[in-house]
Amino acid sequence: MKLRKILAAASAAIVGASLLTISASANDGFLMYASGDWSAQKMELGACPDGEIDVTGDGTYTVTAYGMEFEDEDTGEMVPAPAAGAVVFCVDIVDLALDLYGGKDAEGYADCETGAEKMAFAKAAGLDITDVSIQTKSTDGSVVDIPVDQSKLLFGDIEGNNKIRLEIYNEYGDSKNDPCIDTSAINFDDSISVTFTISGLNGGAPADDNTPADDNAAPAPTAPSDSKGSPNTGVEGIAAVAGIAVVAGGALVIAKKRK
């Protein structure tokens, strides 16, 4: 069975890599957003510095896209750009797949073709992303929470570029076929934020600081409970085997900070 082969390869990659530990590393995270007509967009790292994050370990993070503006032809002034819908709506965390399990070059990753298979591969390496919530703000003071179907979340090294992507909606990705949100509910002219909980990076140690500088502050990070993880993919068993391998080998590899 193909999925079983993928999970087995991911398990081998963890042990073979001597458990790259994320606790001493920091990975840049940012929100990619483009409105339904592409008129409002923030698509790159550095586009919204105060809304970006350093993922330093297990915890809860909030990432934000803001500053949607366009030049008024009559006045020449920059004015807020209303954003409606979405063609791209993702969270990217740079080099996290590389640090976690060796990224796109990990044994077995090449067998992953769909987004679901890439998510299964990431989950087999211990990664989980849960409790995703979305909020928009407008200049009139209105705040709207966008409902999220947690069962339809898609994450992993979706594009084979060593980033871990939380794909909320992508017109050009697998999430288009079964999205976790109704994109027609998105309508704002100030900012859009995504809050999520990530686990499986450092055995539950909370991040030191993951609070964005603007008023879309993240809740204080919390370590996941013992019940978190992915029992359907055998993550707990994988972690136990890998732990034995580290003790036996007397080796602990700390992933260096990647920027």
Side-chain angles (χ1 to χ4, degrees), residues 34 153 164 220 223:
L153 293 173
I164 288 295

Side-chain angles (χ1 to χ4, degrees), residues 4-19 100-101 106-108 121 124-125 238 241-242 245:
R4 184 176 298 171
K5 179 181 178 183
I6 290 171
L7 299 182
S11 303
I14 298 172
V15 178
S18 300
L19 276 185
L100 185 61
Y101 55 77
E107 182 181 354
F121 193 90
I238 294 168
V241 173

Side-chain angles (χ1 to χ4, degrees), residues 68-94:
M68 312 292 179
E69 295 180 323
F70 70 97
E71 184 176 349
D72 187 294
E73 294 181 358
D74 295 329
T75 65
E77 296 179 350
M78 298 302 293
V79 297
V87 289
V88 177
F89 190 14
C90 306
V91 177
D92 271 9
I93 306 174
V94 180

Side-chain angles (χ1 to χ4, degrees), residues 94-193:
V94 180
D95 282 342
L96 185 56
L98 182 64
D99 289 345
L100 185 61
Y101 55 77
K104 62 184 178 64
D105 293 325
E107 182 181 354
Y109 177 84
D111 294 325
C112 300
E113 298 176 356
T114 68
E117 290 171 351
K118 292 172 182 177
M119 181 166 73
F121 193 90
K123 279 193 167 188
L127 182 70
D128 205 6
I129 297 178
T130 59
D131 303 324
V132 175
S133 61
I134 300 168
Q135 188 176 83
T136 62
K137 293 184 178 182
S138 293
T139 53
D140 64 3
S142 61
V143 177
V144 177
D145 293 317
I146 308 297
V148 180
D149 186 339
Q150 305 289 325
S151 69
K152 295 181 179 181
L153 293 173
L154 186 63
F155 61 85
D157 188 357
I158 302 297
E159 295 195 324
N161 56 10
N162 295 326
K163 297 176 182 176
I164 288 295
R165 167 168 291 183
L166 168 58
E167 186 172 297
I168 298 168
Y169 182 79
N170 188 347
E171 189 77 12
Y172 313 101
D174 289 357
S175 55
K176 176 184 179 180
N177 300 321
D178 195 17
C180 65
I181 64 168
D182 177 4
T183 58
S184 67
I186 299 175
N187 198 323
F188 68 97
D189 66 6
D190 184 12
S191 65
I192 186 166
S193 299

Side-chain angles (χ1 to χ4, degrees), residues 14-35:
I14 298 172
V15 178
S18 300
L19 276 185
L20 292 177
T21 303
I22 311 300
S23 58
S25 70
N27 300 79
D28 294 320
F30 63 101
L31 184 58
M32 297 178 63
Y33 172 78
S35 61

